[in-house]
């Protein structure tokens, strides 16, 4: 792998959160992107809202504001990854009315809905790919969060994602087509989205590292398990698909798991732990800006995840990220190797054996304190 490292932020608008798409302001976007470029970042991940672009299965509205956002990013030398299905954002689900109320049908299983999503994906992807600074299109933000409200099975969810990845590839052949899930796909035994899908679909693997998944309860906000969780998840993904790059597409500082006073130290320790992982392709911090507390009903931790306040003040996490951006990436390192206790691709029902707090995870954390620890695939006996 190259020693270069992509470093960016997930873009949460400072004024009005994602509701700002409803009264778009190019000047507000420009101010936000100036903040991020000032940290030395090279890209942003942006989130158009599905039901506002496709409010009816047969109606696709203009995406001029998205294109303007991409052009503003280019003004600041920022490349862009575009997510399609929002879908799930900051604990809220955004689904168009044509899959709700008396029309309710699963976004994964209903053929008419899938055809509607395919039309949306093709429309937005083709438009986004018209901009030279767009390097990736992801099917959506943690689409597996739409289950169980939308029934599915492992076979159906894989087919759904595979179908949409091909839609993106067809209309945007020069752009990476990606599939993104949150970490229940790696850790929860009964989850109908599997590690095999994460590492076999799309053009590289994406992972989302959030220590509120139980990791922070193991040893506290700055304990070894907490600050190495991102590295652990990248290593698991690399073990599942040797040689395939892994994008740490989301990682952030969630309160109260990590108190505000520990935010800068958490960022530094997390990035130092993962930076020399040979599989790591890039890091995209969640998120760019806080959420204004005048907006109601978010989980409390969602309000303060930004690198910047809503009035554009740098927070300690931003300073730590800027310091990291200014340093050359360390050369990919080698160290000890441990064998994964399960075959992540063939034994998803055993995922709890590698979840945070498991015997394997705790042993990996103990070894990791002495240096880099790669995870190799389980040796599957053949007869």
């Amino acid at each position: 792998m190259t020693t270069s490292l992509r470093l960016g932020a997930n873009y949460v608008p400072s004024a009005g959160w994602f509701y700002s798409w409803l009264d778009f302001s190019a000047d507000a976007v420009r101010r936000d992107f100036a903040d991020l470029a000032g940290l030395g970042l090279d890209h942003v991940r942006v989130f158009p809202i599905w039901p506002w672009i496709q409010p009816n299965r047969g109606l696709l509205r203009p995406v001029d504001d998205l294109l303007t956002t991409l052009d503003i990013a280019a003004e600041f030398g920022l490349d862009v990854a575009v997510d399609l299905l929002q879908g799930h954002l900051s604990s809220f689900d955004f689904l168009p009315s044509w899959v709700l109320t008396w029309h309710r049908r699963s976004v994964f299983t209903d053929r008419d809905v899938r055809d509607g999503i395919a039309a949306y994906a093709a429309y937005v992807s083709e438009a986004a790919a018209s901009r030279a600074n767009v390097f990736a299109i992801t099917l959506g933000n943690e689409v597996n969060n739409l289950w169980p409200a939308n029934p599915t099975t492992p076979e159906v969810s894989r087919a759904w994602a595979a179908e949409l990845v091909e839609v993106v590839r067809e209309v945007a052949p020069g752009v990476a087509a990606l599939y993104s899930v949150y970490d229940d796909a790696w850790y929860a035994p009964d989850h109908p989205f599997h590690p095999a899908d994460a590492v076999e679909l799309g053009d590289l693997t994406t992972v989302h590292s959030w220590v509120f998944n139980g990791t922070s309860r193991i040893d506290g906000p700055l304990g070894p398990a907490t600050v190495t969780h991102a590295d652990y998840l990248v290593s698991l993904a690399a073990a599942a698909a040797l040689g395939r790059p892994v994008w740490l597409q989301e990682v952030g500082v969630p309160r109260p798991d990590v108190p505000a006073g520990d935010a800068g130290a958490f960022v530094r320790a997390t990035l130092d732990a993962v930076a020399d992982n040979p599989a790591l392709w890039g890091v995209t911090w969640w998120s760019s800006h806080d959420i204004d507390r005048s907006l109601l009903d978010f989980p409390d931790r969602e309000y303060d995840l930004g690198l910047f306040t809503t009035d554009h003040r740098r927070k300690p996490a931003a300073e730590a990220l800027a310091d990291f951006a200014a340093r050359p990436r360390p050369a990919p390192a080698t160290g000890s190797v441990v064998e994964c206790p399960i075959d992540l691709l063939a034994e998803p029902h055993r995922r709890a054996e590698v979840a945070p707090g498991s015997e394997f995870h705790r042993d990996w954390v103990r070894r990791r304190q002495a240096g880099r620890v790669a995870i190799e695939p389980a040796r599957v006996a053949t007869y």
Side-chain angles (χ1 to χ4, degrees):
M1 283 188 59
T2 178
T3 57
S4 63
L5 180 71
R6 301 304 302 261
L7 187 64
N10 291 278
Y11 178 43
V12 173
S14 63
W17 192 63
F18 296 104
Y19 305 124
S20 60
W21 288 113
L22 296 170
D23 51 0
F24 181 78
S25 167
D27 289 340
V29 174
R30 194 168 280 110
R31 177 68 186 272
D32 290 345
F33 285 178
D35 291 341
L36 299 176
L39 298 180
L41 306 184
D42 63 59
H43 72 273
V44 292
R45 179 175 168 228
V46 302
F47 305 86
I49 306 299
W50 173 27
W52 301 339
I53 296 174
Q54 192 183 30
N56 181 276
R57 189 159 60 92
L59 174 63
L60 292 163
R61 299 182 62 252
V63 290
D64 296 347
D65 293 341
L66 172 61
L67 297 178
T68 298
T69 297
L70 305 180
D71 292 340
I72 294 170
E75 293 175 17
F76 290 94
L78 295 169
D79 290 336
V80 184
V82 177
D83 268 41
L84 297 177
L85 288 175
Q86 275 61 248
H88 181 85
L89 283 172
S90 303
S91 84
F92 286 103
D93 289 347
F94 288 83
L95 299 175
S97 59
W98 50 272
V99 301
L100 297 172
T101 62
W102 61 273
H103 299 283
R104 179 172 289 282
R105 44 200 174 178
S106 171
V107 301
F108 302 114
T109 62
D110 186 276
R111 186 68 257 174
D112 286 343
V113 175
R114 287 172 62 163
D115 289 345
I117 292 173
Y120 166 82
Y123 173 67
V124 177
S125 297
E126 185 174 22
S130 70
R131 297 318 196 245
N133 59 328
V134 171
F135 69 91
I137 296 172
T138 303
L139 297 190
N141 183 55
E142 300 184 343
V143 293
N144 51 335
N145 263 315
L146 299 177
W147 176 85
N150 289 269
T152 190
T153 66
E155 296 75 19
V156 166
S157 58
R158 181 182 176 93
W160 176 90
E163 179 179 293
L164 290 173
V165 165
E166 290 308 312
V167 168
V168 175
R169 284 177 171 159
E170 181 176 349
V171 301
V175 176
L178 306 178
Y179 175 49
S180 174
V181 290
Y182 81 102
D183 66 17
D184 268 6
W186 294 96
Y187 299 146
D190 298 327
H191 197 68
F193 295 77
H194 287 175
D197 308 337
V199 301
E200 292 174 351
L201 301 178
D203 296 318
L204 54 80
T205 301
T206 68
V207 294
H208 294 188
S209 172
W210 288 105
V211 298
F212 56 67
N213 62 6
T215 304
S216 65
R217 294 195 293 274
I218 296 171
D219 54 17
L222 298 177
T226 304
V227 300
T228 62
H229 179 258
D231 187 42
Y232 176 71
L233 188 52
V234 169
S235 298
L236 269 183
L242 291 175
R244 177 164 151 124
V246 182
W247 178 7
L248 182 56
Q249 194 182 46
E250 285 187 22
V251 60
V253 191
R255 297 184 192 175
D257 305 79
V258 181
D262 292 329
F266 173 85
V267 175
R268 289 184 175 87
T270 295
L271 292 174
D272 286 346
V274 76
D276 65 353
N277 191 314
L280 184 67
W281 177 89
V283 178
T284 311
W285 204 261
W286 189 284
S287 61
S288 65
H289 294 80
D290 285 345
I291 301 172
D292 194 313
R293 286 187 176 269
S294 67
L295 297 175
L296 305 179
D297 301 325
F298 290 85
D300 192 63
R301 65 164 53 98
E302 297 286 347
Y303 287 99
D304 299 307
L305 288 169
L307 296 165
F308 292 84
T309 63
T310 56
D311 58 356
H312 304 279
R313 288 180 290 111
R314 281 191 184 189
K315 296 165 63 177
E319 298 292 353
L321 193 62
D323 290 345
F324 180 80
R327 306 197 314 258
R329 181 189 182 182
T334 58
S336 62
V337 177
V338 296
E339 182 182 345
C340 190
I342 67 170
D343 183 334
L344 284 161
L345 304 187
E347 301 177 302
H349 60 284
R350 296 179 60 191
R351 282 173 280 186
E353 295 177 41
V354 298
S358 65
E359 180 180 351
F360 175 75
H361 172 247
R362 288 177 181 270
D363 180 61
W364 183 92
V365 171
R366 179 183 60 79
R367 293 169 181 265
R368 184 67 181 85
Q369 293 178 69
R372 171 142 305 285
V373 183
I375 302 174
E376 67 176 14
R379 297 183 184 92
V380 180
T382 57
Y383 300 94

